[in-house]
Amino acid sequence: MQSISLTIDDATIKAEAGDNLLWVALDNGFSIPNLCALRGVTPPFASCRLCFVEIEGRSSPVTACTETVRDGMAVHLNTPRVKKLRSTAFELILSHHHLDCRNCAKNRSCDLQKIAYRFGLKLKPKRLRVIPRNLPVDSSHPLFIYDLNKCILCGKCVHVCHKQGTGMLDFAFRGMHTTVTTLAGIPLADTGCDSCLDCVVICPVGALVAKPEVSLVEAKAEVAHLI
Ligand code: FES
């Protein structure tokens, strides 16, 4: 690997050529909002569109999770264009998210709340209409609950479920009707799910949550390398 240096908000950073820009920035203490990135997973899913940055010499902002670093690169994290794209992407996510923080099991540990707080974004969309999904909540599994109405389509649960070799969860439908669901939408209890709970740990919001008294310790160790 070839050692290179780049600047992020004018601070000089050392990295290896070809490293992923998002993880280089995060590992060096910079904040870039992200909901769909998983460490070491290529190609990146790049669905949340929150991780925009500006790179000198590029005509428009780019997503950090899809960029690799190179020597002499100059990156800016909070330009007006970045902030505008970030806030629009955040509103788009929230326009499909059933916002019920007070009654949500992930209240105070939800990544949407953390990002809103850290980057001064509002949890209630102001410009975009909220389009609720009103889909049934799947409580059939003995260990966890899946509320599709809170799913932000980050794809993390799909990745870990496939990695586990089970692949019970996957994307279905298209456009604004896209959901993460089981094959033919059958209840989770009927899928043959092996109850690893990796999907519950990796879910950044309150879509997949453990039932009370269920321990996530083993599952947390299993996915720690991805986050
Ligand atoms: S983290 Fe880059 S698009 Fe989601």
Side-chain angles (χ1 to χ4, degrees):
M1 278 280 191
Q2 181 200 352
S3 223
I4 56 122
S5 67
L6 66 152
T7 63
I8 300 180
D9 284 349
D10 299 325
T12 302
I13 305 294
K14 298 274 182 222
E16 300 290 336
D19 280 352
N20 180 277
L21 174 57
L22 175 68
W23 295 107
V24 167
L26 296 179
D27 290 344
N28 280 279
F30 294 93
S31 291
I32 300 178
N34 66 91
L35 285 169
C36 68
L38 288 172
R39 194 182 286 269
V41 173
T42 51
F45 193 48
S47 66
C48 74
R49 317 306 288 169
L50 285 175
C51 68
F52 278 108
V53 298
E54 287 214 60
I55 297 174
E56 286 183 19
R58 302 280 279 272
S59 58
S60 50
V62 295
T63 45
C65 69
T66 54
E67 291 292 319
T68 50
V69 296
R70 55 181 166 69
D71 198 38
M73 187 182 234
V75 183
H76 301 279
L77 304 185
N78 291 296
T79 65
R81 290 201 296 180
V82 164
K83 287 182 182 171
K84 197 170 173 188
L85 284 167
R86 177 192 295 159
S87 105
T88 302
F90 198 64
E91 283 215 20
L92 266 172
I93 292 166
L94 285 163
S95 69
H96 281 294
H97 176 75
H98 178 218
L99 197 70
D100 183 21
C101 298
R102 200 172 296 175
N103 298 305
C104 180
K106 284 273 180 79
N107 191 16
R108 297 175 193 274
S109 61
C110 169
D111 281 2
L112 288 172
Q113 291 177 321
K114 290 180 198 165
I115 288 171
Y117 180 75
R118 171 66 187 80
F119 294 93
L121 298 166
K122 296 269 178 279
L123 279 170
K124 285 198 177 147
K126 284 225 167 3
R127 291 173 294 163
L128 302 180
R129 192 160 58 94
V130 175
I131 305 171
R133 282 182 277 190
N134 295 324
L135 296 165
V137 175
D138 187 342
S139 311
S140 64
H141 197 282
L143 303 184
F144 65 96
I145 296 166
Y146 179 34
D147 184 350
L148 282 80
N149 305 297
K150 293 181 183 170
C151 174
I152 55 164
L153 302 174
C154 67
K156 287 179 171 177
C157 61
V158 173
H159 174 83
V160 294
C161 193
H162 281 250
K163 260 291 196 247
Q164 193 68 17
T166 45
M168 301 305 168
L169 291 171
D170 214 333
F171 288 99
F173 311 113
R174 288 177 165 221
M176 62 181 290
H177 299 293
T178 305
T179 54
V180 169
T181 184
T182 58
L183 185 65
I186 58 172
L188 277 159
D190 299 338
T191 57
C193 162
D194 69 359
S195 305
C196 70
L197 297 179
D198 289 357
C199 62
V200 174
V201 172
I202 209 83
C203 178
V205 297
L208 285 154
V209 295
K211 289 188 173 174
E213 313 298 323
V214 172
S215 168
L216 294 176
V217 174
E218 271 181 43
K220 275 185 181 157
E222 195 64 36
V223 299
H225 65 287
L226 293 168
I227 47 187

